[in-house]
């Protein structure tokens, strides 16, 4: 007889049963399943799916029990007690077990609620963190075969440059010489102003991109069309694609925008025709608001100059390693042909998602997920301990059921069903909590702008932090696993109850050494995991305290900052006009009532400053690598605004700020690294590459000012006068000792008096800016604090339960010891020693686990050393102290046992 597809699946499922079981019953079970499948097939696909699901559930539930039974039974006992189910087992056959289990749950409400809440917290934390991991690192780009999309970079390790953008000349060479990809395309970031309608001009972020890019992404616009090849050529028609969000916010979703000409300003202002609106949610590569044609023109770019982002789609059957080998050969050919610009340069390939998500963020969310799994592990151990104690308390009831003819499977099923009810009830509560947790994470972390991705931006357009189908299924699977893990061992121990021995024990309170050992192992494991999570909690709490007491060297609430950008050809190629605008803006801003200081700077404290290659005459770099330092272009008032008064030398003069004076002010870290103990004032520094760099004279040294972002790992920095480099974009800083009413409106008004066409935006206090930069430490810290609190509570409850269970089993022993003269102090100390022994063993293993977790916490800790021995000792003391309290109540109860009552019942 030919086997059906479902029959083949079922035959594979049967392999979960023991071999002898399959040999005896496998053929009949398969035939029975085939008959039922043939009958159900006439009712439709849904009925077949339900049948298969019920069958999988039966196999998952019964096969482990059969394997335990096969090991436990020997010889004639196995044959005598065998009672095998058919493949057509139905949940209705176990309705009686469900009713009895429900009665037991209701009969013991306190322990049942504790079990459900324990599982609920474990499921909630795990489902929340899995939703975050899935939404950010697993869901992938919403395109066909997203793993085929590859991002390109270059590296020159001989010069210490691991991450280099792709130059236009290399991109064109790659495009013509490669064969591993269907095609490759390039894009580069762009910022524009749209000057039409009633909306105020505001910078919009987008990209200039090749027309092939959309075909590689397999995406079509929601309205209109894509670019053509002619539109992507230099001098082609000026066209623009809008994002769905920009179309809605600026044009109210009006479909007649297609074909409309709008004024777009970059370096020049020109009319662009709107040719399309991209689908809702599309924002490739990050979260773009528009797309312009790339219009690459090699004639205007020297080889080695320019920067592009490049990606491609692999051909079917070509792997990433194959493509990397091919591009290695192409890089070698280019190095031979162009030794000046390409010597030592190699192409590097990675999947688009890996490149844009970044290892730091992925490691953070995966570590959070691991922490939640640890909490879930403690929850399962606690529920298993609880069920073990309840099973031991019902041992005579179970023995009577067995003596009256109940099979071992019925007894095990009764205990397993009780575990399943508790787990699934807790799972439903946990999933509800997870919904709230995921929403909180998305709004808090994204709202704080605290992700800091490697290519800029705080979120990627394909990220979706929500508890949708896959995370929900994962949560249900976790619930099922919790039911199995929590109920399996108590169920097996219940099934292996020695009926004769238990019935002969009458009223004596004895217990199985195996039960005691199982509980002790679980609680030791709980303590170890709790120690690790509490260490993570203590580290993050110390980090949060550092944040709350952070001294940045200036009053955060007295300084208001805003971004100002210059758009239009009148500023693009006219440094003198740019300088005049900035000076006029300073004068206008000083007219705001209450203002004490006004300054301009290309960067602000707490923002990562762009690095510049620097060298000091006479200083030898032994490894040949480049030396970098952050820099900012500022006006002289910048130093007073941020309390950066010189510790040596002087600051810029107003004349130096408005001319191209070759002077520089350095910070203390720069002076210490590059000049050592020598006086830096009057020394020279070369800024830029090799002999092309400008030599400047150091005129002063100021305190450090967080020039490498919130981590400040590379604090060396220098300041240049505004006249030497006159940027198109600067930050305006306004300091006042009085409250500034409607400061955003006042700042916009003073900027409009200088040039109403230029936008001013992102008006905020320095406190708000710093909170945005350090927000991720608060968010991640909150997660680990919750992990630690829940883990501590669960481990203490678990330890209390095990010690209490142990005392209950040793009632006779303790009573006899007291009858023979043992005092209450000895009884209490013996119980405490038992509990503390588990704690010490757990702390020993937990120390190693804590060290491993702490290594992964570096990216979420603010100015905290991950290897903090005093903090580890403090965690051990806290866990040890709470464990003593958990053991004290059972110990006092043991000391109150009446020897007379024990001897009477013996």
């Amino acid at each position: 007889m030919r086997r059906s597809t479902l029959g083949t699946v079922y035959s594979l499922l049967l392999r979960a049963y023991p071999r002898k079981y399959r040999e005896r019953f496998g053929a009949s079970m398969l035939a029975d399943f085939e008959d039922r499948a043939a009958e159900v097939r006439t009712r439709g696909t849904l009925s077949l799916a339900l049948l298969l699901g019920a069958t999988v559930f039966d196999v998952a539930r019964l096969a482990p029990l059969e394997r335990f039974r096969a090991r436990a039974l020997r010889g004639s006992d196995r044959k005598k007690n065998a009672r095998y189910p058919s493949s057509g087992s139905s949940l209705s056959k176990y309705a009686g077990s469900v009713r009895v289990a429900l009665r037991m749950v209701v009969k013991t409400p306190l322990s049942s609620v504790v079990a459900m809440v324990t599982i609920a917290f474990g499921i909630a934390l795990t489902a929340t963190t899995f939703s975050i991991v899935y939404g950010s690192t697993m869901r992938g780009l919403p395109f066909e075969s997203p793993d085929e999309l590859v991002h390109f970079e270059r590296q020159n390790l001989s010069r210490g440059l691991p991450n280099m953008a792709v130059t236009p000349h290399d991109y064109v060479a790659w495009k013509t010489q490669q064969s591993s990809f269907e095609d490759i395309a390039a894009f580069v970031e762009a910022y524009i102003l749209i000057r039409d309608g009633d909306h105020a001009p505001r910078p919009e972020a987008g990209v200039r991109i090749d027309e092939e890019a959309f075909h590689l992404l397999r995406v079509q616009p929601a309205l209109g069309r894509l670019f053509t090849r002619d539109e992507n050529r230099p001098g082609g028609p000026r066209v623009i694609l809008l994002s769905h969000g920009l179309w809605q916010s600026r044009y109210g979703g009006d479909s007649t925008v297609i074909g409309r000409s709008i004024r777009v300003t970059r370096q020049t202002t020109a009319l662009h025709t709107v040719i399309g609106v991209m689908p809702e949610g599309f924002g490739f590569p990050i979260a773009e608001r528009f797309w312009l044609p790339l219009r690459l023109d090699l004639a205007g770019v020297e080889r080695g100059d320019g920067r592009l982002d490049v990606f491609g789609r692999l051909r079917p059957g070509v792997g990433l390693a194959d493509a990397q080998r091919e591009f290695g050969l192409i890089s070698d050919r280019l190095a031979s042909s162009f030794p000046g610009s390409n010597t030592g340069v190699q192409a590097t390939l990675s999947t688009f998602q890996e490149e844009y998500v970044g290892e730091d963020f992925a490691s953070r969310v995966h570590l959070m997920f691991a922490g939640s799994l640890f909490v879930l592990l403690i929850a399962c151990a606690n529920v298993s301990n609880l069920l073990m104690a309840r099973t031991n308390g019902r041992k005579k009831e179970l023995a009577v059921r067995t003596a009256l003819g109940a099979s071992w499977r019925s007894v095990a099923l009764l205990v397993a069903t009780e575990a399943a009810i508790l787990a699934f009830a807790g799972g439903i509560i946990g999933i509800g909590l997870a919904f709230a947790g995921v929403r909180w994470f998305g709004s808090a972390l994204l709202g704080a702008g605290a992700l800091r991705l490697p290519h800029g931006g705080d979120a990627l357009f394909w990220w979706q932090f929500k508890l949708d189908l896959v995370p929900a299924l994962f949560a249900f699977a976790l619930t099922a696993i919790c039911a199995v893990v929590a109920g399996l061992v108590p169920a097996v121990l219940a099934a292996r109850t020695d009926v004769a021995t238990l019935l002969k024990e009458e009223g004596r309170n004895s217990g199985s050494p195996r039960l005691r050992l199982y509980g002790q192992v679980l609680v030791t494991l709980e303590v170890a995991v709790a120690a690790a999570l509490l260490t993570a909690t203590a580290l993050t709490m110390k980090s949060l305290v550092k944040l709350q007491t952070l001294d940045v060297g200036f009053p955060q609430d007295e300084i208001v900052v805003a971004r100002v950008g210059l758009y239009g050809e009148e500023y693009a190629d006219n440094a003198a006009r740019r300088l005049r605008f900035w000076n006029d803006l300073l004068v206008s801003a000083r007219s705001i009532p209450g203002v004490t200081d006004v300054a301009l700077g290309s960067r602000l404290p707490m923002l990562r400053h762009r690095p510049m290659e620097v060298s000091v005459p006479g200083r030898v770099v032994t490894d040949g690598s480049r030396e970098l330092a952050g820099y900012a272009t500022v006006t002289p008032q910048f130093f007073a605004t941020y309390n950066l008064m010189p510790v040596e030398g002087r600051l810029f003069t107003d004349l130096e700020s408005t001319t191209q004076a070759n002077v520089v002010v350095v910070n203390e870290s720069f002076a210490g690294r590059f000049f050592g103990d020598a006086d830096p004032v009057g020394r020279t520094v070369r800024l830029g590459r090799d002999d092309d760099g400008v030599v400047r004279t150091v005129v002063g040294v100021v305190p450090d000012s967080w020039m490498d972002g919130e981590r400040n790992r590379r604090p060396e920095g220098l300041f240049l006068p505004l006249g030497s480099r006159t940027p198109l974009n600067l930050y305006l800083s306004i300091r006042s000792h009085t409250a500034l009413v409607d400061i955003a409106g006042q700042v916009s008004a003073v900027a409009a008096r200088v040039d109403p066409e230029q936008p001013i935006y992102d008006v905020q206090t320095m406190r708000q800016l710093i909170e945005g930069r350090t927000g991720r430490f608060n968010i991640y810290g909150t997660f680990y604090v919750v992990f630690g609190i829940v883990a501590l509570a669960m481990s203490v409850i678990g330890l209390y339960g095990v010690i209490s269970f142990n005392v209950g089993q040793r009632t006779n022993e303790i009573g006899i010891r007291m009858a023979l003269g043992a005092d209450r102090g000895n009884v209490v100390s013996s119980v405490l020693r038992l509990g503390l022994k588990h704690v010490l063993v757990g702390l020993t293993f937990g120390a190693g686990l804590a060290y491993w977790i702490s290594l992964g916490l570096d990216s979420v800790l603010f100015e905290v050393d991950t290897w903090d021995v005093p903090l580890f000792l403090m965690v051990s003391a806290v866990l040890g102290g709470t464990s003593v309290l958990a053991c004290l109540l059972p110990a006092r109860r043991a000391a109150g046992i009446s020897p007379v009552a024990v001897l009477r019942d013996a």
Side-chain angles (χ1 to χ4, degrees), residues 650-800:
R650 63 175 178 84
L651 303 175
F652 306 135
T653 64
D654 289 335
L655 179 61
E656 288 169 335
S657 182
T658 56
T659 61
Q660 295 185 358
N662 290 330
V663 294
V664 64
V665 171
V666 301
N667 65 12
E668 290 180 298
S669 291
F670 185 98
R673 175 182 171 186
F674 289 93
F675 299 110
D677 295 331
D679 185 2
V681 178
R683 299 284 297 272
T684 57
V685 177
R686 183 181 296 277
L687 307 182
R689 293 184 180 179
D690 306 326
D691 295 334
D692 296 333
V694 177
V695 177
R696 295 178 181 272
T697 301
V698 177
V699 297
V701 180
V702 296
D704 291 350
S705 59
W706 298 84
M707 296 188 74
D708 192 39
E710 64 276 8
R711 306 303 295 277
N712 210 32
R713 298 278 174 89
R714 300 176 63 177
E716 301 86 3
L718 45 86
F719 299 91
L720 306 175
L722 183 63
S724 63
R725 290 172 177 255
T726 311
L728 287 166
N729 297 276
L730 288 175
Y731 287 90
L732 175 66
S733 300
I734 299 175
R735 182 168 176 175
S736 171
H737 296 302
T738 61
L740 297 176
V741 180
D742 187 25
I743 183 60
Q746 294 187 69
V747 171
S748 298
V750 299
R753 288 201 294 269
V754 180
D755 187 343
E757 291 292 309
Q758 303 307 319
I760 187 163
Y761 52 101
D762 290 348
V763 181
Q764 59 186 324
T765 65
M766 278 300 296
R767 180 174 298 281
Q768 292 170 324
L769 183 144
I770 292 172
E771 288 176 350
R773 298 295 301 183
T774 59
R776 75 172 185 271
F777 302 113
N778 284 309
I779 303 300
Y780 291 120
T782 301
F783 261 102
Y784 285 104
V785 168
V786 172
F787 289 166
I789 292 174
V790 173
L792 177 62
M794 288 184 178
S795 61
V796 168
I797 292 172
L799 184 63
Y800 168 80

Side-chain angles (χ1 to χ4, degrees), residues 813-845:
E813 171 200 339
I814 293 172
I816 292 173
R817 286 177 58 192
M818 295 183 69
L820 295 177
D823 59 24
R824 295 192 174 190
N826 290 333
V827 172
V828 170
S829 63
S830 67
V831 175
L832 287 177
R833 280 198 304 272
L834 175 65
L836 292 180
K837 178 178 71 174
H838 304 319
V839 172
L840 290 175
V841 174
L843 287 175
T844 302
F845 286 104

Side-chain angles (χ1 to χ4, degrees), residues 34-184:
E34 290 276 19
D35 291 341
R36 296 194 70 235
E39 177 186 351
V40 171
R41 189 174 286 110
T42 59
R43 304 175 192 168
T45 305
L46 179 60
S47 297
L48 279 175
L50 292 174
L51 172 65
L52 183 60
T55 304
V56 170
F57 180 84
D58 280 344
V59 172
R61 178 172 48 82
L62 298 174
L65 297 179
E66 289 292 349
R67 287 191 175 273
F68 273 106
R69 179 188 173 283
R71 292 180 183 179
L73 299 179
R74 294 290 185 270
S76 59
D77 290 337
R78 176 182 301 185
K79 187 174 181 180
K80 176 180 178 182
N81 295 312
R83 183 182 178 185
Y84 297 97
S86 70
S87 62
S89 296
S90 169
L91 292 177
S92 60
K93 294 183 178 181
Y94 307 104
S97 297
V98 172
R99 287 193 295 270
V100 174
L102 283 173
R103 284 200 297 269
M104 189 62 191
V105 169
V106 175
K107 185 178 178 181
T108 54
L110 180 60
S111 60
S112 298
V113 169
V114 170
M116 286 187 288
V117 170
T118 299
I119 289 292
F121 275 107
I123 294 291
L125 290 174
T126 309
T128 298
T129 54
F130 178 77
S131 298
I132 296 165
V133 171
Y134 180 76
S136 59
T137 66
M138 297 173 63
R139 190 189 304 274
L141 282 80
F143 304 125
E144 176 185 327
S145 304
D147 292 340
E148 296 177 357
L149 296 175
V150 174
H151 184 268
F152 297 81
E153 281 189 342
R154 303 183 310 152
Q155 64 179 11
N156 190 337
L157 298 182
S158 63
R159 296 192 60 191
L161 301 173
N163 304 107
M164 299 168 57
V166 181
T167 62
H169 286 86
D170 280 3
Y171 164 61
V172 173
W174 291 355
K175 193 176 182 71
T176 56
Q177 296 182 37
Q178 67 86 24
S179 60
S180 298
F181 293 84
E182 293 181 11
D183 203 347
I184 62 175

